[in-house]
Amino acid sequence: MSELTDARYPFTAVVGMDDLRLGLLLNAVSPAVGGVLVRGEKGTAKSTMVRALAGLLPSIATVAGCRFACDPLSPDAQCPDGPHAGADSAERPAFLVELPVGVSEDRVVGSLDLERALAEGVKAYEPGLLAKAHRGVLYIDEVNLLQDHLVDLLLDAAAMGRSYVEREGVSVRHAARFLLVGTMNPEEGELRPQLLDRFGLTVEIAATRDADERAEVVRRRLAYDADPAGFAASWAARERELAERIGAARELLPSVELSDLALRQITAVCAAFEVDGLRADIVMARTAVALAAWAGRTEVLEEDVRKAAQLALPHRRRRNPFDAPGLDQEQLDRTLAEHQEPGDEEPDGDGPDDGGPGDGGPGGGGSPAPSEPDEPAATGSSEDAPAAPPQQRPGGTKAASPVAADRPYRTRLFKVDGTGRGAQGRRSPAETDAGHTVRARRPQGRLTRLHLSATLRAAAPHQVARGRAGRALVLRRDDLREQVRRGRESNLVLFVVDASGSMAARQRMTAVKGAVLSLLMDAYQRRDKIGMVTFRGSGAELALPPTSSVEVGAARLEQLPTGGRTPLEAGLLRAHEVLRVERLRDPDRRALLVVVTDGRATGARDALARSHRAAGLLAAQGVAAVVLDCESGPVRLGLARELAAHLNGDAVSLDELRADGVAALVRETRSTMTSGSMTRKAA
């Protein structure tokens, strides 16, 4: 174990968190497991445990002077600092590298000194965080808030064990094998399912509700804050003991046998839960082997397979963005029982104990014995955050009970006109870090994306004046040009939903909720932030402040009651206020307003005119708007389309919202035009 060079909070001093403890330790024993994603509410010591793990990892031997931590026994043949034949070795602790949320791509993978590359013809490469994390731990706090292209890059490097840097024809590659750990709060938004699948294990955590355990957490934290070095020293013996056990399990790992029976159980469980691909089978097998080594055994037992499934499968069970990770324990037990050897009995107990220290020690109290995790609660349920009481509305009138939504479907694309500069996403056109190059410009800040041809054109007219001799190009800083890339950005999609009595017909509200749920799913896929304003009775309320968690939005929608008058003006004015505040918080994120209504307005005598004036206020601010026309029946007043005109936006009916319906309309129109053309030619 590396010596304690700082007073980080000890791993063994964390109270509870048995599944998280076990998931981290299994990855320390076998990094091939693929890392761990920690999902949980804020303030649950996620980051504390991850940072504490680095102090338990064995020291590593590296080639002296190598910036890429090459192993002296098997140095990387493609190392930029190589070759390393006959080089001296040195020993140092395994690094814990933290990735900031706002990190740039060149900081992650490294960057090239483009001026030296052009002027001197040398590869001057500055390693990034992936190189620093090689043979250590790469920790991504709030991984769900990272840009998509950075997450893809990180997970690809984690899967392949190598980082590739390509800059204007100059290529650098180096080894990048690390223990990948991500933490996230599901209330702030989910990772895409295909990215979830790249994490080997996932762990759901929540703060304990036991008063004694909470008291012990506070007691230890206060002791640590009062004397960090003394507190760490009091736990040093337990830290050493746990580090030695990690080392012993690593040595035992190659001797563990995965029998045909255990392998059949693993594949049967993955098939029974209908997980996509074969990554789950491989991860489960590696996890079961690591569990056996951690328990000091050389044979994988059924209890190892069960625990491996509980850690490796929940996040691979999602079928759409609103599904919460989870595992049916009865189905798991039934599948394992069906693939036992004749005469086998169900093992006693609740699975392997991680056995690590931390169940007692200085300060009294301790971690409870490990137990089977309960099935995770549904992410984004109404329990995640308080909602308005369903049977009470502004004005005191009793509201109708909530109705269920129709099944979601793929919607047509709505986008904000013009070119933005917001966070990368998949909705509206924008200048982004990733995308296709559309032009060149002088660098704005540090140069990271050289536009080579534009740079050469800028330098060419000055070569004689600069006394050029020979073939070398004489460059000046003023010659450099950077690429301007065009991609897509994410937006703030603010829903303004009419929940009044005119919308309360059960069948109608079911269709309306299904439409909004479909738009929520579209926002999730396009990486938007969402918010929701509802209006009914005598006023409007912000049912969901702008957030990246569409799961919470879906839960709010599911519990939305209806009834009372239609204060359309109040809903639009509340939306105007929400957008004003959000512009101050994030000026670059453009908004898309989606008003879900039949266009009616009641209350004051001139309610409709007042609503149109409120719509004009939003239009004057340049807010992009879409009105989802919910009017139905044989007689239609067209009020929603009139509202859309005052918003300078589009009106779309529920039938027109479906993407397949739009495609069918286009095909029908093209067919009509083609047949008409053929008729004219025949004539």
Side-chain angles (χ1 to χ4, degrees):
M1 183 188 83
S2 59
E3 293 298 325
L4 289 173
T5 56
D6 57 17
R8 67 165 56 92
Y9 198 91
F11 187 87
T12 51
V14 177
V15 177
M17 308 291 223
D18 300 293
D19 279 341
L20 174 55
R21 185 193 311 275
L22 182 58
L24 292 173
L25 291 174
L26 291 177
N27 276 276
V29 171
S30 176
V33 166
V36 59
L37 175 66
V38 187
R39 297 164 44 90
E41 57 196 27
K42 54 186 176 292
T44 49
K46 301 186 298 291
S47 301
T48 299
M49 286 200 75
V50 175
R51 295 187 179 108
L53 178 68
L56 301 173
L57 299 178
S59 299
I60 60 173
T62 66
V63 173
C66 178
R67 297 172 298 168
F68 301 87
C70 280
D71 187 345
L73 299 179
S74 57
D76 181 13
Q78 297 179 317
C79 177
D81 286 354
H84 295 309
D88 295 333
S89 64
E91 188 168 313
R92 67 162 176 80
F95 288 157
L96 170 71
V97 177
E98 296 193 39
L99 198 72
V101 170
V103 69
S104 62
E105 181 176 341
D106 64 314
R107 184 71 185 98
V108 175
V109 299
S111 59
L112 297 173
D113 189 334
L114 295 171
E115 295 177 57
R116 289 189 62 193
L118 286 173
E120 304 175 27
V122 297
K123 293 182 181 180
Y125 175 67
E126 183 65 27
L129 296 177
L130 292 183
K132 186 176 181 181
H134 180 46
R135 304 174 65 195
V137 180
L138 182 65
Y139 172 44
I140 314 170
D141 193 14
E142 306 294 351
V143 63
N144 52 325
L145 301 183
L146 273 182
Q147 297 291 334
D148 282 354
H149 71 287
L150 292 180
V151 176
D152 290 338
L153 185 153
L154 289 168
L155 296 178
D156 284 343
M160 296 184 296
R162 186 162 292 277
S163 176
Y164 296 87
V165 185
E166 305 287 343
R167 292 289 190 276
E168 296 295 340
V170 181
S171 177
V172 175
R173 58 191 62 190
H174 61 82
R177 293 184 298 275
F178 43 80
L179 169 57
L180 179 64
V181 181
T183 58
M184 60 176 284
N185 181 354
E187 291 184 0
E188 297 173 343
E190 284 284 357
L191 282 173
R192 301 195 309 270
Q194 58 268 41
L195 299 184
L196 280 172
D197 185 56
R198 300 300 288 272
F199 282 94
L201 310 179
T202 186
V203 176
E204 296 274 348
I205 61 173
T208 178
R209 299 298 186 258
D210 182 88
D212 291 336
E213 284 190 20
R214 295 174 75 98
E216 184 58 27
V217 171
V218 175
R219 185 179 298 113
R220 293 186 187 184
R221 185 68 206 193
L222 292 178
Y224 171 78
D225 291 341
D227 182 9
F231 185 83
S234 68
W235 288 85
R238 291 181 175 272
E239 294 283 286
R240 254 188 309 273
E241 181 183 343
L242 186 55
E244 290 170 359
R245 186 175 175 188
I246 292 174
R250 281 189 172 189
E251 293 180 3
L252 183 61
L253 190 68
S255 303
V256 177
E257 177 185 358
L258 180 65
S259 65
D260 289 341
L261 172 62
L263 182 56
R264 283 197 303 273
Q265 287 182 320
I266 289 171
T267 56
V269 167
C270 291
F273 283 99
E274 300 179 348
V275 295
D276 296 331
L278 294 173
R279 183 176 286 117
D281 306 62
I282 297 171
V283 170
M284 268 193 67
R286 290 171 175 169
T287 305
V289 170
L291 281 162
W294 181 245
R297 289 185 268 101
T298 58
E299 180 184 4
V300 173
L301 303 180
E302 182 179 311
E303 62 192 48
D304 300 321
V305 176
R306 176 181 283 103
K307 193 64 180 179
Q310 293 168 350
L311 293 171
L313 295 187
H315 60 303
R316 294 181 167 90
R317 290 281 296 141
R318 299 182 71 193
R319 286 293 179 266
N320 67 66
F322 307 123
D323 288 342
L327 206 63
D328 187 334
Q329 298 296 325
E330 292 183 1
Q331 183 181 1
L332 174 60
D333 293 338
R334 188 166 54 251
T335 304
L336 290 174
E338 291 172 355
H339 292 81
Q340 287 181 334
E341 289 283 5
D344 281 356
E345 297 180 356
E346 288 291 332
D348 293 331
D350 291 330
D353 187 342
D354 68 17
D359 52 356
S367 306
S371 60
E372 288 291 318
D374 294 330
E375 184 171 349
T379 302
S381 69
S382 58
E383 297 177 359
D384 289 345
Q391 298 301 321
Q392 184 178 348
R393 67 169 181 81
T397 304
K398 185 177 180 180
S401 59
V403 299
D406 264 347
R407 293 178 62 85
Y409 47 82
R410 190 166 64 91
T411 67
R412 58 187 291 187
L413 170 62
F414 300 105
K415 58 185 179 181
V416 181
D417 292 335
T419 303
R421 295 187 301 274
Q424 185 179 348
R426 298 182 176 183
R427 184 174 294 278
S428 303
E431 292 183 2
T432 61
D433 291 334
H436 62 280
T437 302
V438 294
R439 60 186 177 88
R441 68 183 177 197
R442 293 182 182 275
Q444 299 181 351
R446 182 182 179 188
L447 176 64
T448 57
R449 301 186 303 272
L450 179 73
H451 197 298
L452 182 58
S453 60
T455 298
L456 296 177
R457 287 195 300 271
H462 308 291
Q463 295 305 295
V464 174
R466 294 173 183 173
R468 174 180 174 181
R471 302 178 62 182
L473 189 67
V474 181
L475 289 176
R476 298 288 185 267
R477 182 173 295 276
D478 289 344
D479 301 329
L480 298 177
R481 299 292 184 270
E482 69 177 0
Q483 301 173 16
V484 177
R485 296 180 179 178
R486 181 69 57 83
R488 291 189 178 275
E489 66 178 358
S490 63
N491 299 119
L492 167 61
V493 181
L494 181 63
F495 293 90
V496 181
V497 182
D498 184 350
S500 66
S502 66
M503 303 282 288
R506 197 167 190 86
Q507 184 175 0
R508 183 181 183 186
M509 198 61 193
T510 295
V512 170
K513 283 189 175 182
V516 177
L517 191 63
S518 302
L519 289 168
L520 283 172
M521 180 179 291
D522 181 70
Y524 167 85
Q525 294 168 341
R526 301 187 188 282
R527 312 306 290 167
D528 295 318
K529 289 182 68 175
I530 62 156
M532 188 181 299
V533 171
T534 61
F535 59 93
R536 55 190 171 87
S538 59
E541 63 176 339
L542 181 60
L544 178 67
T547 176
S548 297
S549 179
V550 295
E551 293 83 358
V552 177
R556 294 290 192 277
L557 180 68
E558 192 71 22
Q559 298 300 318
L560 179 66
T562 57
R565 295 181 177 180
T566 312
L568 178 58
E569 178 195 12
L572 295 174
L573 291 178
R574 186 60 190 269
H576 179 271
E577 176 62 18
V578 171
L579 294 178
R580 183 189 68 80
V581 173
E582 287 303 308
R583 277 195 296 270
L584 296 175
R585 291 177 177 171
D586 189 354
D588 290 334
R589 187 181 293 273
R590 298 188 294 167
L592 175 64
L593 184 70
V594 179
V595 184
V596 184
T597 181
D598 56 10
R600 290 180 172 86
T602 60
R605 177 175 301 177
D606 57 345
L608 194 59
R610 293 165 65 97
S611 300
H612 291 165
R613 286 196 294 271
L617 186 62
L618 286 161
Q621 297 293 323
V623 177
V626 175
V627 177
L628 187 58
D629 185 358
C630 302
E631 193 173 23
S632 61
V635 179
R636 305 195 180 191
L637 303 178
L639 296 177
R641 297 187 179 274
E642 187 177 346
L643 174 64
H646 284 86
L647 286 168
N648 287 340
D650 297 324
V652 179
S653 69
L654 292 177
D655 294 334
E656 295 171 336
L657 182 63
R658 291 180 179 268
D660 51 1
V662 174
L665 178 62
V666 171
R667 287 194 297 269
E668 182 180 346
T669 303
R670 286 179 176 174
S671 176
T672 302
M673 293 175 63
T674 302
S675 61
S677 175
M678 294 176 64
T679 302
R680 287 192 298 271
K681 288 182 179 180

